[in-house]
């Protein structure tokens, strides 16, 4: 099967005495959510095409503890974090890449205090790095001239000041990047951060994801680009609510690049 994905586990590489360039932290959404699995696959295809030596933890990966911490359960968070840190340190991991801004933020900013020090990059930063090093090439092809608006994930943008990497990648697709009225530092949350993903919204006049989707649709986009599995879900729900799913696609940056490259 030529279309079989090559995804080595850290245990396999370690047993063979090899150390990958990066550990790909898949995250709960990327592992279990059917929509987010497509983002995981797209990213893996790009890594394979760029001949990046990477590995995943597989069954040794557990939730980073982000939802527990945001929901106020510090004890559970520390248990989850310390378990993961022991696994990562056991393998001597130096660099971690993840497609989830929640995992990114937690491992980057909260694990050091518990003994887990790694270079942590979001997949948009890593893809930009691969592009800059000439390890991947991106020609727009089917995205040439397409109107794409980018929704900034809170945990990537406002929490960690990563704004340009995803935008640079969209521009490299020869697409027309159109900005929402609330973008970058003034970005509006999709409504799923802070463990809100796992509960129903409180009473109010309008759900946050509908408000954000309206801002996105105001730019008359053909594609709403996202860089977070939670944002992807919320924006997709918003587009369905507006009955625009036939006209507007919601795609992760990795999916845009994999599609442009026909992977």
């Amino acid at each position: 099967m030529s279309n079989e994905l090559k995804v080595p586990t850290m245990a396999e590489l370690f047993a063979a005495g090899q150390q990958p360039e990066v550990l790909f932290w898949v995250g709960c959404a990327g592992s279990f959510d059917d929509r987010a699995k497509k983002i995981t696959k797209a990213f893996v295809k790009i890594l394979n095409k760029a001949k990046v030596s990477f590995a995943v933890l597989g069954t040794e990966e557990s939730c980073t503890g982000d939802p527990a911490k945001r929901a106020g359960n510090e004890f559970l968070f520390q248990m989850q974090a310390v378990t993961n840190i022991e696994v990562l340190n056991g393998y001597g991991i130096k660099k971690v890449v993840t497609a989830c801004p929640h995992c990114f933020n937690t491992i980057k900013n909260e694990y050091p205090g518990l003994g887990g020090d790694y270079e942590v990059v979001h997949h948009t930063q890593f893809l930009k790095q691969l592009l800059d090093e000439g390890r991947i090439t991106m020609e727009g092809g089917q995205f040439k001239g397409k109107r794409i608006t980018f929704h900034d994930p809170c945990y990537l943008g406002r929490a960690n000041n990563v704004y340009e990497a995803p935008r640079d990648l969209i521009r490299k697709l020869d697409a027309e990047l159109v900005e929402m009225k609330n973008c970058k530092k003034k970005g509006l949350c999709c409504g799923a951060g802070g463990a809100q993903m796992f509960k129903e919204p409180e009473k109010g006049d309008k759900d946050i994801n509908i408000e954000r989707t309206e801002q996105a649709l105001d730019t008359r986009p053909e594609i709403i680009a996202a860089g977070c599995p939670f944002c992807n879900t919320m924006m997709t729900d918003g587009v369905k609510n507006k009955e625009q799913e036939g006209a507007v696609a919601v795609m992760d940056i990795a999916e845009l690049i994999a599609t442009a490259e026909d992977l």
Side-chain angles (χ1 to χ4, degrees):
M1 282 175 65
S2 60
N3 61 352
E4 206 169 78
L5 287 179
K6 283 210 308 284
V7 187
T9 64
M10 211 40 236
E12 288 166 16
L13 289 194
F14 199 72
Q18 296 171 330
Q19 189 72 2
E21 179 186 344
V22 289
L23 175 83
F24 172 28
W25 186 276
V26 184
C28 299
S31 301
F32 300 113
D33 180 84
D34 284 344
R35 176 65 187 86
K37 283 180 198 172
K38 294 177 181 170
I39 300 169
T40 304
K41 285 178 182 161
F43 186 55
V44 165
K45 284 175 181 172
I46 299 167
L47 292 177
N48 282 333
K49 169 120 199 256
K51 298 190 169 44
V52 174
S53 106
F54 75 98
V56 299
L57 286 176
T59 54
E60 291 187 278
E61 181 186 301
S62 157
C63 179
T64 58
D66 164 78
K69 188 176 181 79
R70 305 299 156 227
N73 194 337
E74 181 64 24
F75 178 68
L76 176 59
F77 162 70
Q78 293 208 9
M79 281 191 352
Q80 291 178 306
V82 167
T83 305
N84 285 321
I85 289 167
E86 282 175 357
V87 172
L88 290 167
N89 289 353
Y91 284 128
I93 299 298
K94 302 278 186 291
K95 184 170 183 175
V96 177
V97 62
T98 179
C100 175
H102 297 260
C103 298
F104 166 73
N105 178 67
T106 302
I107 301 173
K108 177 176 185 279
N109 298 321
E110 284 156 1
Y111 276 23
L114 297 167
D117 281 295
Y118 321 101
E119 180 193 351
V120 187
V121 293
H122 185 247
H123 73 315
T124 57
Q125 294 174 303
F126 192 67
L127 291 168
K128 175 79 169 67
Q129 189 184 320
L130 291 178
L131 189 72
D132 291 345
E133 291 168 2
R135 292 164 75 181
I136 54 171
T137 54
M138 283 163 48
E139 295 311 321
Q142 57 179 298
F143 297 113
K144 193 177 175 69
K146 284 257 200 299
R147 286 174 70 84
I148 301 180
T149 190
F150 180 68
H151 162 75
D152 288 287
C154 298
Y155 283 80
L156 184 66
R158 291 180 302 169
N160 288 288
N161 287 314
V162 178
Y163 295 111
E164 294 314 317
R167 287 175 170 80
D168 288 345
L169 293 167
I170 291 170
R171 288 190 197 99
K172 279 280 189 286
L173 292 166
D174 302 327
E176 182 188 351
L177 178 64
V178 287
E179 294 287 7
M180 292 180 236
K181 73 170 188 227
N182 285 67
C183 65
K184 300 189 180 173
K185 280 195 166 53
K186 294 197 177 77
L188 183 69
C189 179
C190 72
Q196 297 287 325
M197 182 73 182
F198 307 104
K199 58 179 275 297
E200 291 304 313
E202 287 91 3
K203 285 187 170 48
D205 298 326
K206 188 192 285 184
D207 286 354
I208 292 282
N209 69 314
I210 303 299
E211 175 74 19
R212 186 53 165 165
T213 303
E214 285 170 358
Q215 291 188 357
L217 294 176
D218 282 347
T219 67
R220 304 193 321 284
E222 290 163 83
I223 297 163
I224 299 171
C228 169
F230 290 1
C231 297
N232 197 304
T233 297
M234 300 304 272
M235 299 306 283
T236 301
D237 287 352
V239 169
K240 281 181 183 157
N241 177 278
K242 296 291 177 191
E243 299 183 347
Q244 292 288 312
E245 62 261 54
V248 180
V250 180
M251 294 177 76
D252 186 86
I253 299 281
E255 294 178 305
L256 288 172
I257 295 172
T259 306
E261 288 284 281
D262 269 339
L263 298 180

